[in-house]
Amino acid sequence: IFILTAHVLYTNACMKGEESVPCTWDIFYEKWGWMLIFWNLVGVPYVYSFNSYYLLNNRVELHPYLVAALFVALFVSYYVWDSAQAQKNRFRAMERNMYVPRYTFPQMPRGTLDYKTAKVLRFTLPGQKRESTLLVDGWWAYARLIHYIADIIMSLTWGLCCGFSGV
């Protein structure tokens, strides 16, 4: 049940966040679209299925408290990851005057910051003419790459649900 829940959450987040992909750094600036798309279509299903395959072939019994702790860690980290991604992507879309509200399920609370009152750092990099902005509001006030921290915690829960007998 745990790994199925994790897969459903992650798949849902990818589906509801698809409007954010074209303006990601990989595609917009590095022109890395083909590699990113190939990884999402081939690599992700292959690598992310390891846990399910292991659980299918090995009987794993975890203490109910550990399972409960894994669920809490998964849901909290998912919330931080999803709402932080939404804050960043929607802020960038508002910055470019391209924001269109979407109502895909589920929308997490605090997913959209008020563009007019959001705290940002404005700066110009050496050799650049264009001013850049760095979001320092919402989840981004607490850590620079908080969505990666939450993603790592989610990945750890995926691995921990397999137990330690295969180590």
Side-chain angles (χ1 to χ4, degrees):
I1 297 291
F2 178 84
I3 201 71
L4 178 63
T5 304
H7 281 291
V8 167
L9 287 173
Y10 206 83
T11 302
N12 179 64
C14 291
M15 294 306 194
K16 76 177 187 177
E18 66 187 351
E19 84 275 4
S20 305
V21 173
C23 61
T24 59
W25 182 266
D26 301 338
I27 292 178
F28 202 76
Y29 294 102
E30 295 182 351
K31 310 299 184 222
W32 224 38
W34 168 250
M35 290 174 63
L36 186 67
I37 291 168
F38 182 78
W39 174 252
N40 283 340
L41 293 176
V42 178
V44 168
Y46 179 71
V47 173
Y48 285 33
S49 63
F50 286 162
N51 306 70
S52 302
Y53 186 73
Y54 180 84
L55 290 171
L56 180 68
N57 292 314
N58 298 284
R59 182 172 173 82
V60 176
E61 291 186 30
L62 300 175
H63 194 280
Y65 289 139
L66 177 58
V67 175
L70 289 174
F71 269 109
V72 168
L74 176 69
F75 289 138
V76 169
S77 59
Y78 176 81
Y79 171 73
V80 171
W81 177 75
D82 188 83
S83 55
Q85 293 279 53
Q87 288 174 356
K88 176 187 64 157
N89 293 326
R90 291 173 186 162
F91 177 80
R92 293 289 177 225
M94 288 178 203
E95 197 173 41
R96 295 180 181 110
N97 222 10
M98 297 172 48
Y99 175 65
V100 177
R102 290 184 46 161
Y103 302 102
T104 50
F105 178 78
Q107 291 298 321
M108 297 295 172
R110 294 180 37 135
T112 305
L113 299 173
D114 182 12
Y115 180 72
K116 294 179 191 316
T117 61
K119 296 176 191 158
V120 296
L121 295 176
R122 298 188 186 284
F123 59 94
T124 304
L125 294 171
Q128 300 279 330
K129 294 180 181 176
R130 184 178 63 88
E131 182 180 71
S132 296
T133 56
L134 187 63
L135 183 61
V136 290
D137 203 355
W139 287 113
W140 303 94
Y142 300 106
R144 204 56 265 137
L145 299 172
I146 196 160
H147 61 306
Y148 289 144
I149 296 166
D151 205 8
I152 289 168
I153 293 170
M154 284 191 296
S155 299
L156 286 173
T157 65
W158 289 34
L160 289 172
C161 79
C162 292
F164 298 97
S165 62
V167 178

